[in-house]
Amino acid sequence: MTGLWVALAAIAIALVFGTFRALTDGRFRGTHKPAGHPSLVEEGRHPSLVEEGRRARLETTAWTQLGAAATSTELGERATLVQFSSAFCAPCRVTRRVLSDVAETTPGVVHLEVDAEHHLDATRRLGILRTPTTLILDPTGREIARAAGAPRKDQVLATIPARDLT
Amino acid sequence: MSTTASARTGARPEAGSGIDPRGPQFNAAVTVVVLVAILVTAGTAVGTVLTAVQAALFAWGAIGGVQTTIHAKVFKALIRPRLASPDHLEDPAPPRFAQAVGLGFAAVALVGFLVGGTTVGTVAIALALVAATLNAVFRFCLGCEVYLLIKRATS
């Protein structure tokens, strides 16, 4: 009789956890405001994007924290989609398709896939706990949002910064 | 203004083919039924034998690949013909890894039941049941997620 209760409890836990995951997977949560965010403009402290970019390159950004994992690509002029993947990850494949589709159809957007287990330093520095995790970087390389789990195309498009920042 | 690129560093190349994702899902559903039966009969000879059978099935999937198991053959012969074609194919490596994780839990449970540690066996099977249910209902691979956390913690 105990065994039956244990079984029901295990199934209940799985259903609650799985439902929570299904609802939150792929949702982007903002981490930093993009360069040229309206609030900075209003305060009259908004430097030109070039200056901002120059300053940001000297700062520690998500892009610099990628280190060796990011040498092969330039930052996108509008956004860079950094996808952390691993070998044993079914939703990584779907995510790759969605993000490369966005990169191919949206000018100035670059997709970069990082194998998390071969870049554990970057994985730790950026606090990646799951694959797939997608970071959206602004043109200066700062992280503006991240999503754990496979995002849908509309979720990506709604989160990448507006085309005209100047 | 068109820096459109899709680059990857060190990631595995995209496999040209794959498996129907509903195959491993069916496997997980059958596993759920077996694991519930084990929990209900835990502490009896039936429970121990079922645990040994499930451990063997996990080992089969982990060593031979998920496409070679009895579940996969039943799926191909009886279930897949009744379903629409899948909207996408999946890499067989993640579900295969999940079978290896399941084998770990089933092995602990089997040893527990054999030496009279019914509680240890029950807890191990219950954990496997959580993972199998997630897989069967949500196609969610718990072992695959834990993989990165273990890598992060140990290397």
Side-chain angles (χ1 to χ4, degrees), chain A residues 3 14 18-19 21 69 72 77 88-89 93 96 100 103-104 107 109-113 115 117 120 124 128-130, chain B residues 1 3-10 14-15 17 39 89-91 94 97 134 138 140 144-145 147 149 152 155:
Chain A
T19 305
R21 271 296 173 79
S72 71
E77 289 165 30
F88 303 122
C89 169
R93 213 181 200 194
R96 179 184 311 147
S100 57
E104 274 156 30
V109 175
V110 168
H111 172 218
L112 174 74
E113 188 170 349
D115 190 335
E117 56 180 301
L120 282 171
R124 290 196 192 96
I128 308 297
L129 296 172
R130 291 175 59 193
Chain B
M1 277 301 284
T3 317
T4 306
S6 189
R8 294 187 273 134
T9 51
E14 179 101 21
S17 62
L39 287 173
L89 297 177
E90 269 179 15
D91 185 353
F97 177 73
L134 283 169
F138 302 99
F140 176 84
C144 301
E145 293 226 343
Y147 174 76
L149 292 175
R152 265 188 63 149
S155 48

Side-chain angles (χ1 to χ4, degrees), chain A residues 6-162:
Chain A
V6 172
L8 290 175
I11 290 173
I13 289 168
L15 292 178
V16 169
F17 181 70
T19 305
F20 171 74
R21 271 296 173 79
L23 292 173
T24 55
D25 263 11
R27 188 184 289 172
F28 282 96
R29 286 180 301 122
T31 37
H32 298 286
K33 287 173 178 170
H37 189 272
S39 71
L40 294 175
V41 181
E42 281 160 27
E43 289 163 33
R45 298 192 282 108
H46 175 54
S48 79
L49 264 184
V50 179
E51 267 175 59
E52 177 96 2
R54 196 176 294 137
R55 197 166 53 78
R57 264 190 286 282
L58 302 172
E59 289 171 6
T60 305
T61 62
W63 181 250
T64 63
Q65 285 179 313
L66 274 174
T71 47
S72 71
T73 331
E74 292 283 303
L75 273 166
E77 289 165 30
R78 182 171 163 192
T80 304
L81 312 174
V82 182
Q83 176 189 348
F84 281 83
S85 299
S86 60
F88 303 122
C89 169
C92 289
R93 213 181 200 194
V94 181
T95 306
R96 179 184 311 147
R97 201 161 48 221
V98 168
L99 297 183
S100 57
D101 180 32
V102 171
E104 274 156 30
T105 55
T106 318
V109 175
V110 168
H111 172 218
L112 174 74
E113 188 170 349
V114 177
D115 190 335
E117 56 180 301
H118 290 117
H119 296 283
L120 282 171
D121 286 345
T123 302
R124 290 196 192 96
R125 279 197 295 269
L126 289 162
I128 308 297
L129 296 172
R130 291 175 59 193
T131 54
T133 292
T134 304
L135 311 183
I136 299 188
L137 310 188
D138 73 8
T140 69
R142 278 190 297 189
E143 178 187 333
I144 53 177
R146 68 169 60 191
R152 293 189 313 271
K153 192 178 176 184
D154 61 285
Q155 289 176 310
V156 182
L157 290 174
T159 315
I160 54 180

Side-chain angles (χ1 to χ4, degrees), chain B residues 26-150:
Chain B
F26 170 70
N27 184 335
V30 174
T31 305
V32 164
V33 173
V34 177
L35 294 176
V36 169
I38 291 172
L39 287 173
V40 172
T41 57
T44 69
V46 175
T48 307
V49 169
L50 281 174
T51 306
V53 169
Q54 184 58 55
L57 290 170
F58 277 140
W60 190 343
I63 297 163
V66 283
Q67 308 97 303
T68 65
T69 60
I70 301 175
H71 313 83
K73 291 188 178 103
V74 172
F75 176 76
K76 258 176 234 154
L78 298 177
I79 300 175
R80 189 164 179 178
R82 290 156 210 261
L83 299 174
S85 57
D87 53 355
H88 69 283
L89 297 177
E90 269 179 15
D91 185 353
R96 186 172 175 175
F97 177 73
Q99 296 284 301
V101 175
L103 174 60
F105 282 103
V108 169
L110 184 59
V111 171
F113 289 139
L114 285 174
V115 302
T118 308
T119 307
V120 172
T122 300
V123 170
I125 294 296
L127 292 173
L129 178 57
V130 170
T133 306
L134 283 169
N135 219 321
V137 179
F138 302 99
R139 286 189 200 169
F140 176 84
C141 177
L142 192 61
C144 301
E145 293 226 343
V146 176
Y147 174 76
L148 181 63
L149 292 175
I150 292 170

